């Protein structure tokens, strides 16, 4: 028993050392302890004052933490109520990975008061890891919660702010009369301005939340056009004009511009404009002021347009008369392209300056070997224009022999190729144009009377440019843009002085001459505007507007007559009432032909 | 040489260990390494013509996992109550711990440190609340273990207060 105890003592001592434990027994004199096993190296390293002496140590003097713990330990040993008292972990020194964590335990074994100092190992580390994780998690969690709360609070105030800003903006939009709709990514309306409601004939409520396509009865085609436009990237989008049947039963034209919200590309802003009026005007303009490639809003041109529309309905031969350069070929084209023959060829042949054989061959074609150089069978204009329209320009210059053949074609509706004996059926509408007086040519026996009657079934007179001077500005601007496109120059306008000259010039060469004058001026222009000096010399040198001409505004005559009527024919009083001198007034009177 | 025990008290992760480390070694680490139990450090200072050995008791931060043991406070001549300026709840905790400490130790010199004052944008503790503390006679010092701001000041002020307290009681 004794032997075994001795063995146990040393074995246990080694075991305790191996387990990083130091066991001390409390001595009689307070604060002194005797180390029962070997002093481990780590303890000596940590507390060099401990020394290697096995007899007495005073840990409370060396280790401040133990000094504190021993106070509790003394009570524990005195009271003997519990089996042991733990100090809790402590460590020495500043933070380091090689840190030692220790714990002291006071216990009573076999009536002996023991103090055990333990170096905490793996178990402590895992406990630390768990606690570390728990705390980090806690920190992160509260941080997130707070961030969310802050964000929420932020959103709240921002919402309030933006609500206010939005209200301001909305009323501003209303005041500006801006018809606007904002939709979310699904096309659902999230905002609609008052003017937009009015435009679409909507009531005050119930639109937010509906799909914008369903707001008004859009035609299927319009819906498709809008969908296609949405698919385009923003920079390629143009406004789409749609015919809308508003919920209050009105039909209007609305131009819809689709924009992406710059902050949220899935969101759309639709800007609506009422273009009903513009649409009507444009339609009027289209109908009245231009006709195919013809430009002009003057009364004479209106008459021409009306006549052309009528002639497009029928299939007769038409004689187009007009000075050189008035645009007779354009008139012919206008007839063709507004007629039912428009999908078939339009051909024009100039009858002037060709020998009869050559013109005949051009018009009717020839058989191989019909004449020297006729190396192959050849189709003529009549056949080439099959189903369409053939313009015989300068028909007054057509040789007599060809006139006879043409007359035959018009009567028989068939042609005979030169050198051929077999006639061929042709279906061609013939239009003829001339700047000459065919009656006079008939009288001088240069034109067949029967052909004249045949082609003069219908007539169109194309007015000279000087008969429609008000069309000069629109013609000028049209030629300007065509010319700029062709030359690559950017000449945008004509200064007033130059325009006055252009309008006043007599234009013997008519529209053709005007066109080349503009081409000339564009080439000579040094700035983005045509000025006086850029015009062709004959126009620069032309006389300034002659007020005595028949072009004098009717208004002036009317004003003068009105002044005379008011003064009972008293010329001096009339002059005074008009604020001009008597001599001037007399001159005006004679100029205006008022006696 | 006089020796004084000073406790670092506060919620977890407010920077108690960092403050001590900064004060003792002038180092700072961004990494959070929570303290379990107590960490003891020493620092010799010279204050008011007096050499003092400060025994710094860096106590673990209190939370639901670890509660401060009253026995650890025993014998402290002063304490630094630490709160994290970016976490308002740590000031509440500091106030509660101050009450606990005073109940344990009796009236003892201390200072309230509002740490992490370098994190200006994350600031959560209201200056008005600090004003209230000051009006209650507390010493309030805004510190940063990261930049070192007011660290020396905090410890030396406390040391001076402790000396003054000694002088008064003698
Ligand atoms: N930016 C900044 N970070 C700090 C400051 N002081 C401490 N920290 C950081 O805050 C975290 C917690 O610091 P500790 O010193 O470990 O805090 P503690 O109060 O000792 O924490 P417990 O021991 O768990 O109670 C660490 O990541 C530190 O790097 C400071 O002044 N500024
Ligand atoms: Mg710590």
């Amino acid at each position: 028993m004794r032997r075994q105890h001795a063995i146990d003592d040393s074995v246990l001592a080694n075991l305790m050392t191996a387990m990083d434990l130091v066991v001390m027994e409390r001595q009689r004199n307070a604060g002194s302890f005797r180390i029962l096993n070997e002093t481990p190296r780590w303890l000596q390293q940590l507390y060099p004052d401990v020394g290697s002496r096995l007899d007495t140590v005073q840990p409370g003097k060396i280790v401040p933490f133990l000094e504190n713990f021993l106070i509790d330990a003394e009570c524990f040993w005195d009271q003997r109520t519990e089996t042991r008292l733990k100090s809790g972990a402590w460590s020495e020194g500043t933070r380091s990975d090689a840190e030692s964590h220790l714990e002291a335990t006071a216990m009573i074994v076999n009536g002996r008061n023991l103090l055990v100092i333990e170096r905490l190992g793996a178990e402590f580390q895992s406990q630390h890891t768990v606690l570390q994780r728990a705390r980090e998690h806690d920190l992160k969690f509260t941080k997130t919660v707070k961030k969310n709360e802050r964000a929420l609070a932020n959103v709240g105030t921002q919402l309030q702010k933006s609500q206010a800003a939005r209200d301001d903006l909305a009323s501003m939009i209303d005041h500006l009369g801006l018809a606007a709709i904002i939709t979310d990514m699904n096309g659902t309306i999230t905002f609609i301005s008052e003017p937009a409601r009015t435009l679409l004939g909507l009531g005050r409520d119930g639109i937010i939340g509906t799909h914008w396509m369903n707001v008004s009865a859009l035609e299927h085609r319009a819906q498709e056009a809008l969908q296609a436009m949405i698919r385009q990237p923003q920079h390629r989008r143009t406004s789409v004009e749609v015919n809308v049947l508003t919920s209050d039963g009105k039909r209007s034209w609305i131009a819809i511009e689709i924009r992406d919200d710059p902050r949220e590309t899935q969101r759309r802003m639709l800007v609506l404009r009422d273009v009903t009026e513009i649409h009507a005007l444009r339609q009027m303009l289209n109908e009245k002021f231009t006709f195919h490639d013809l430009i002009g809003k003057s009364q004479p041109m209106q008459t021409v347009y009306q006549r052309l529309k009528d002639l497009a309905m029928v299939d007769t031969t038409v004689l187009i008369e007009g000075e050189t350069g008035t645009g007779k070929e354009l008139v012919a084209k206008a007839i063709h392209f507004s007629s039912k023959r428009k999908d078939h060829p339009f051909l024009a042949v100039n009858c002037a300056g060709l020998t009869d054989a050559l013109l005949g061959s051009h018009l009717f074609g020839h058989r191989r070997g019909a004449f020297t150089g006729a190396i192959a069978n050849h189709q003529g204009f009549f056949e080439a224009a099959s189903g369409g329209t053939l313009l015989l320009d300068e028909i007054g210059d057509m040789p007599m022999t060809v006139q006879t053949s043409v007359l035959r074609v018009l009567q028989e509706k068939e042609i005979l190729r030169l050198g051929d004996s077999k006639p061929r059926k042709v279906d061609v509408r013939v239009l003829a144009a001339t700047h000459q007086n065919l009656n006079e040519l008939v009288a001088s026996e240069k034109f067949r009377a029967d052909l004249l009657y045949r082609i003069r079934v219908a007539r169109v007179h194309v007015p000279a440019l000087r008969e429609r001077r008000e069309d000069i500005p629109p013609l000028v601007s049209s030629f300007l843009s065509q010319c700029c496109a062709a030359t690559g120059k950017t000449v945008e306008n004509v200064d007033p002085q130059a325009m006055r000259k252009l309008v006043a010039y007599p234009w013997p060469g008519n529209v053709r001459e005007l066109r080349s004058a503009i081409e000339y001026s564009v080439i000579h222009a040094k700035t983005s505007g045509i000025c006086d000096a850029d015009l062709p010399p004959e126009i620069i040198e032309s006389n300034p507007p002659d007020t005595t001409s028949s072009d004098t505004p009717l208004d002036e005559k009317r004003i003068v007559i009105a002044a005379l009527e008011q003064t009972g024919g008293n010329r001096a009083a009339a002059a005074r009432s008009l604020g001009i001198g008597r001599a001037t007034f007399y001159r005006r009177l004679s100029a205006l032909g008022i006696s | 040489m006089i020796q004084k025990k000073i406790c670092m008290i506060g919620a977890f992760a407010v920077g108690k260990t960092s403050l001590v480390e900064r004060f003792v070694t002038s180092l700072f680490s961004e990494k959070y390494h929570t303290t379990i139990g107590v960490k003891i450090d020493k620092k010799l200072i010279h204050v008011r013509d007096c050499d003092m050995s400060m025994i710094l008791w860096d106590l673990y931060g209190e939370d639901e996992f670890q509660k401060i043991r009253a026995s650890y406070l025993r014998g402290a001549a002063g304490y630094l109550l630490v709160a994290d300026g970016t976490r308002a709840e740590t000031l509440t905790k500091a106030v509660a711990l101050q009450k606990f400490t005073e109940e344990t130790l009796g009236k003892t010199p201390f200072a309230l440190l509002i740490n992490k004052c370098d994190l200006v944008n994350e600031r959560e503790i209201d200056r008005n609340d600090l004003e209230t503390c000051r009006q209650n006679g507390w010493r309030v010092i805004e510190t940063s273990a990261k930049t070192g701001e007011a660290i020396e000041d905090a410890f030396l002020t406390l040391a001076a207060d402790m000396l003054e307290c000694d002088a008064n009681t003698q």
Side-chain angles (χ1 to χ4, degrees):
Chain A
M1 184 74 197
R2 276 190 72 99
R3 221 179 103 231
Q4 206 180 344
H5 186 228
I7 294 166
D8 281 353
D9 257 2
S10 70
V11 170
L12 282 175
N14 287 338
L15 187 67
M16 285 187 276
T17 308
M19 288 179 72
D20 282 345
L21 298 173
V22 184
V23 185
M24 304 179 193
E25 184 170 7
R26 183 177 172 233
Q27 305 296 291
R28 283 196 175 274
N29 46 333
S32 291
F33 288 82
R34 191 170 69 92
I35 299 180
L36 296 185
N37 59 338
E38 225 177 287
T39 311
R41 183 152 319 144
W42 54 264
L43 192 71
Q44 286 181 38
Q45 277 170 356
L46 215 48
Y47 304 108
D49 292 348
V50 171
S52 53
R53 289 166 48 216
L54 287 179
D55 45 359
T56 51
V57 287
Q58 292 194 305
K61 291 248 164 71
I62 305 166
V63 185
F65 181 81
L66 288 179
E67 182 191 11
N68 188 64
F69 176 62
L70 287 176
I71 298 170
D72 296 323
E74 293 294 342
C75 293
F76 163 77
W77 285 314
D78 288 348
Q79 289 169 1
R80 300 180 170 262
T81 48
E82 284 174 71
T83 50
R84 54 188 191 159
L85 178 72
K86 278 183 165 284
S87 72
W90 93 91
S91 59
E92 298 283 343
T94 42
R95 201 194 264 185
S96 89
D97 287 341
E99 209 168 52
S100 285
H101 300 281
L102 311 172
E103 185 164 30
T105 310
M107 41 186 162
I108 302 166
V109 178
N110 292 340
R112 296 153 80 181
N113 297 335
L114 300 181
L115 175 68
V116 179
I117 298 172
E118 177 187 358
R119 188 162 73 154
L120 302 172
E123 206 179 322
F124 173 83
Q125 285 305 336
S126 63
Q127 188 194 338
H128 181 265
T129 308
V130 171
L131 192 62
Q132 176 86 33
R133 276 214 207 115
R135 289 184 161 169
E136 278 171 359
H137 182 268
D138 193 324
L139 281 176
K140 207 162 128 192
F141 181 74
T142 42
K143 204 167 184 171
T144 319
V145 167
K146 278 182 190 167
K147 211 161 101 189
N148 289 348
E149 278 172 358
R150 256 200 303 270
L152 216 65
N154 252 343
V155 167
T157 49
Q158 257 172 21
L159 214 63
Q160 268 180 353
K161 274 192 207 156
S162 67
Q163 193 72 47
R166 194 189 145 130
D167 289 349
D168 291 350
L169 219 67
S171 70
M172 208 157 84
I173 285 170
D174 291 351
H175 273 98
L176 288 172
L178 215 75
I181 293 177
I182 298 177
T183 71
D184 65 8
M185 50 199 285
N186 304 316
T188 307
I189 294 179
T190 56
F191 168 83
I192 178 164
S193 72
E194 248 347 278
R197 282 185 191 273
T198 315
L199 189 56
L200 296 171
L202 303 170
R204 287 200 62 93
D205 320 289
I207 288 307
I208 305 289
T210 33
H211 196 278
W212 66 278
M213 284 274 194
N214 301 333
V215 165
S216 290
L218 280 183
E219 286 172 4
H220 185 63
R221 234 175 349 146
Q223 290 195 5
E224 277 180 345
L226 286 165
Q227 297 286 17
M229 195 55 71
I230 286 178
R231 284 193 293 272
Q232 295 280 336
Q234 163 126 8
H235 67 275
R236 289 243 202 90
R237 289 192 206 135
T238 51
S239 71
V240 179
E241 281 182 23
V242 297
N243 193 228
V244 175
L245 178 63
T246 60
S247 32
D248 51 4
K250 255 192 345 205
R251 274 226 165 261
S252 31
W253 282 94
I254 295 175
I256 302 179
E257 202 182 312
I258 305 165
R259 295 186 204 169
D260 293 340
D261 185 329
R263 290 158 305 167
E264 171 74 75
T265 47
Q266 287 296 301
R267 218 155 46 188
R268 312 249 184 257
M269 303 191 289
L270 309 179
V271 181
L272 283 60
R273 273 174 305 123
D274 186 355
V275 289
T276 310
E277 208 173 332
I278 296 171
H279 213 268
L281 283 172
R282 195 189 299 143
Q283 206 156 5
M284 255 164 62
L285 215 71
N286 280 344
E287 283 164 5
K288 286 175 88 179
F289 297 159
T290 61
F291 191 80
H292 294 270
D293 288 336
L294 296 166
I295 296 168
K297 55 184 178 179
S298 62
Q299 197 48 57
M301 287 310 277
Q302 301 293 324
T303 313
V304 169
Y305 298 158
Q306 191 49 55
R307 187 110 184 90
L308 297 185
K309 269 185 233 165
D310 295 342
L311 291 173
M313 309 289 287
V314 293
D315 208 32
T316 55
T317 318
V318 179
L319 179 62
I320 303 162
E321 294 166 299
E323 288 179 14
T324 172
T326 47
K328 295 185 288 292
E329 186 171 332
L330 286 183
V331 167
K333 272 189 188 161
I335 294 173
H336 168 74
F337 285 107
S338 48
S339 76
K340 64 180 197 305
R341 292 178 175 267
K342 64 174 186 287
D343 296 326
H344 297 278
F346 170 87
L347 295 176
V349 57
N350 193 324
C351 306
L354 293 180
T355 62
D356 47 358
L358 203 50
L359 182 59
S361 145
H362 270 330
L363 290 175
F364 311 113
H366 55 253
R367 245 190 68 165
R368 196 170 145 226
F371 53 89
T372 340
I375 48 167
N377 289 332
H378 183 78
Q379 189 189 46
F381 278 108
F382 272 99
E383 279 179 82
S386 179
T389 307
L390 178 64
L391 169 66
L392 303 173
D393 204 358
E394 303 301 355
I395 198 166
D397 293 330
M398 186 182 273
M400 277 298 209
T401 49
V402 181
Q403 287 180 28
T404 313
S405 309
V406 167
L407 182 63
R408 218 180 73 88
V409 176
L410 291 177
Q411 284 167 341
E412 312 297 333
K413 305 224 177 294
E414 55 183 36
I415 56 127
L416 201 59
R417 286 184 179 181
L418 249 66
D420 209 346
S421 54
K422 202 175 100 230
R424 294 157 192 260
K425 277 277 165 215
V426 286
D427 168 29
V428 172
R429 180 178 194 183
V430 173
L431 305 179
T434 184
H435 69 281
Q436 303 181 70
N437 186 332
L438 292 185
N439 280 330
E440 284 172 10
L441 292 181
V442 168
S444 58
E445 294 188 345
K446 285 183 184 135
F447 203 83
R448 288 182 67 123
D450 45 3
L451 180 60
L452 176 60
Y453 302 138
R454 187 83 217 179
I455 61 175
R456 210 166 59 181
V457 177
R459 297 167 78 168
V460 179
H461 171 75
V462 189
L465 188 53
R466 65 182 171 285
E467 291 165 32
R468 52 179 190 115
R469 290 185 193 277
E470 57 189 295
D471 291 338
I472 291 175
L475 281 165
V476 165
S477 79
S478 164
F479 292 152
L480 258 185
S481 51
Q482 285 173 29
C483 197
C484 287
T487 60
K489 274 184 97 165
T490 43
V491 179
E492 286 153 352
N493 49 43
V494 175
D495 83 11
Q497 178 65 26
M499 186 58 93
R500 260 197 295 279
K501 284 232 155 122
L502 290 172
V503 173
Y505 185 72
W507 299 113
N510 292 296
V511 181
R512 186 185 293 131
E513 189 184 7
L514 175 61
R515 187 191 186 101
S516 39
I518 296 304
E519 282 166 2
Y520 177 98
S521 308
V522 166
I523 291 164
H524 286 80
K526 282 151 210 77
T527 63
S528 68
I530 289 173
C531 66
D532 228 3
D534 303 328
L535 299 174
E538 66 276 13
I539 299 172
I540 297 178
E541 285 152 19
S542 68
N543 292 326
D546 182 0
T547 46
T548 62
S549 79
S550 59
D551 298 321
T552 308
L554 269 175
D555 282 357
E556 190 184 349
K557 197 166 177 175
R558 219 178 284 139
I559 290 165
V560 171
I561 291 171
L564 282 170
E565 278 170 2
Q566 272 194 343
T567 58
N570 184 333
R571 294 173 182 199
R576 239 180 288 123
S577 78
L578 292 172
I580 53 175
R582 221 167 1 146
T584 315
F585 189 65
Y586 283 74
R587 236 180 290 129
R588 301 307 302 142
L589 282 183
S590 68
L592 292 166
I594 302 168
S595 51
Chain B
M1 182 167 50
I2 43 170
Q3 187 167 304
K4 296 279 182 197
K5 172 177 176 179
I6 287 142
C7 291
M8 307 293 295
I9 300 168
F12 71 94
V14 294
K16 298 178 296 296
T17 306
S18 301
L19 285 164
V20 171
E21 191 165 295
R22 171 58 103 168
F23 180 55
V24 175
T25 68
S26 300
L27 297 175
F28 172 77
S29 162
E30 288 281 356
K31 199 171 178 314
Y32 175 40
H33 189 85
T34 190
T35 309
I36 289 188
V38 183
K39 199 163 178 170
I40 312 274
D41 238 303
K42 272 197 196 113
K43 170 98 176 171
L44 297 177
I45 57 160
H46 187 82
V47 65
R48 292 200 177 166
D49 294 332
C50 183
D51 283 326
M52 183 190 283
S53 169
M54 279 186 143
I55 312 293
L56 300 164
W57 283 55
D58 171 15
L59 305 186
Y60 52 77
E62 187 175 273
D63 62 3
E64 72 248 49
F65 307 108
Q66 298 189 99
K67 293 273 174 262
I68 286 190
R69 292 192 193 195
S71 66
Y72 288 167
L73 299 173
R74 188 170 43 223
Y79 57 99
L80 290 173
L81 207 54
V82 187
D84 177 345
T86 68
R87 285 150 69 211
E89 70 274 13
T90 62
L91 180 60
T92 317
K93 185 91 210 173
V95 171
L97 286 172
Q98 194 276 335
K99 194 162 167 271
F100 173 74
T101 310
E102 196 157 286
E103 280 165 8
T104 313
L105 291 178
K107 260 205 165 315
T108 312
F110 75 96
L112 172 64
L113 308 189
I114 306 300
N115 192 37
K116 309 196 189 180
C117 69
D118 54 292
L119 301 173
V120 184
N121 292 333
E122 294 172 41
R123 177 84 184 200
E124 234 183 53
I125 290 181
D126 196 359
R127 294 245 145 74
N128 290 334
D129 292 342
L130 298 184
E131 221 26 69
T132 321
C133 293
R134 286 195 179 100
Q135 276 160 16
N136 289 337
W138 290 21
R139 236 183 233 297
V140 182
I141 305 171
E142 302 202 9
T143 59
S144 167
K146 185 171 180 174
T147 65
E149 185 179 331
I151 305 292
E152 293 269 320
D153 181 38
F155 283 91
L156 297 185
T157 308
L158 179 66
D161 284 351
M162 292 185 307
L163 289 179
E164 188 145 323
C165 181
D166 284 353
N168 289 343
T169 48
Q170 270 165 19

